[in-house]
Amino acid sequence: MEQRISLITLGAKDMDALSQFYDALGWQRTPSPDGVIAYDLIGQTLGLYPLDKLAEEIGLPLSDLGYGACSFAQNLRFKEEVAPLLARAEAAGARILKPAQDVFWGGHHGYFADPEGHIWEIAHNPFSPLRADGGFRWLGYEET
């Protein structure tokens, strides 16, 4: 198995409301088959799919999906970008779980939950600078 993720699928109880949230954050949808809403990312895609259909596809009862201990993160170029992005998420319908603040290891971050409870960390990590296109790698990229 190659060390990468191609698609992240969020099971959605209310596809319209959840997609409106990501639309309000400024994300652009990409064409996709009926029943799936997709946003292309840098090297991956985030998909929204009805939660009941996801359980059916996997072959599990809906009650078995529950909520896992998982979070998604978006790293930003500058510390000063974290609080405004958290505010934008809150204005779009997110619940702020942790306001923007410095972290003991030298970074700056905060957390929000989208309207269905999916948790996002918004962070600036001075030890992992982003590529010009926003690409992220732990400990950054080598200069070329």
Side-chain angles (χ1 to χ4, degrees):
M1 180 175 185
E2 294 180 24
Q3 191 168 307
R4 62 182 171 82
I5 295 174
S6 303
L7 174 66
I8 299 165
T9 302
L10 302 180
K13 294 176 188 169
D14 184 337
M15 291 281 287
D16 290 332
L18 195 57
S19 62
Q20 287 173 16
F21 172 78
Y22 288 100
D23 293 347
L25 290 180
W27 288 25
Q28 302 296 310
R29 297 183 194 196
T30 192
S32 60
D34 287 344
V36 177
I37 296 171
Y39 302 90
D40 280 337
L41 311 174
I42 299 168
Q44 300 88 27
T45 296
L46 178 75
L48 307 180
Y49 192 63
L51 187 60
D52 59 336
K53 299 290 185 192
L54 182 61
E56 181 181 312
E57 184 175 313
I58 295 169
L60 291 173
L62 183 59
S63 60
D64 281 5
L65 291 185
Y67 288 99
C70 177
S71 68
F72 305 99
Q74 183 172 107
N75 280 50
L76 304 176
R77 289 171 181 80
F78 304 102
K79 172 182 178 174
E80 296 77 20
E81 296 174 313
V82 174
L85 184 50
L86 289 170
R88 183 173 184 177
E90 185 174 34
R95 181 170 52 100
I96 301 300
L97 303 174
K98 183 178 186 180
Q101 57 192 264
D102 290 337
V103 187
F104 71 92
W105 49 264
H108 188 80
H109 73 172
Y111 286 87
F112 71 81
D114 76 12
E116 293 204 5
H118 304 105
I119 298 173
W120 284 85
E121 176 188 24
I122 304 301
H124 169 67
N125 181 338
F127 308 108
S128 296
L130 303 179
R131 284 191 319 217
D133 68 357
F136 173 85
R137 181 179 290 171
W138 197 254
L139 299 181
Y141 288 88
E142 290 185 24
E143 300 279 332
T144 56

